[in-house]
Amino acid sequence: PSPTAAPEFDAKYPDGIPTQIDITIKGGETISSGMVMYPSGHARNTAADLDNILLHKNKMLGDIVFSDSAARETFVNRLVEMESASPAEVAKLYEFDWNSMRSHHCIDG
């Protein structure tokens, strides 16, 4: 089925990003999330483990371009620790061996 607009969802935007996921499994049973007003990643979502979500995302993206897992971990750790980094450390954030990067197709179109 195609997504449909629901006035009760539209009325709650932009306070949140009203979202609902319905999954129909074999046998025809539908499992619904119900309305989720503040999905993971929304500033008002206090239930999601955003730190681990972002860590996982950064590792997945790092695997696309870093051929060496140690280089990926070093880079991801720099991102994770950026909040407490000195200005000199932030300036060196993107200093690594660019020649060791994997060649890959564009991932965003």
Side-chain angles (χ1 to χ4, degrees):
S2 63
T4 58
E8 64 271 19
F9 282 49
D10 293 341
K12 296 182 182 301
Y13 182 83
D15 177 54
I17 305 174
T19 305
Q20 179 172 322
I21 297 176
D22 297 326
I23 300 171
T24 303
I25 59 176
K26 289 181 182 177
E29 180 185 356
T30 298
I31 301 169
S32 178
S33 67
M35 181 191 288
V36 175
M37 186 66 175
Y38 308 113
S40 297
H42 190 284
R44 291 190 183 172
N45 180 310
T46 58
D49 184 356
L50 193 54
D51 288 339
N52 278 325
I53 291 170
L54 291 174
L55 180 62
H56 180 71
K57 179 179 180 178
N58 285 328
K59 285 182 177 183
M60 288 178 53
L61 291 171
D63 281 338
I64 293 170
V65 295
F66 288 103
S67 56
D68 176 50
S69 62
R72 182 207 65 214
E73 286 298 317
T74 298
F75 182 71
V76 169
N77 286 340
R78 287 183 194 169
L79 295 176
V80 170
E81 296 167 0
M82 190 179 345
E83 187 175 18
S84 62
S86 69
E89 291 168 326
V90 172
K92 293 181 178 183
L93 182 65
Y94 293 103
E95 286 185 8
F96 51 84
D97 182 7
W98 288 86
N99 293 320
S100 68
M101 306 276 297
R102 290 183 193 180
S103 177
H104 61 87
H105 296 290
C106 182
I107 63 171
D108 61 0

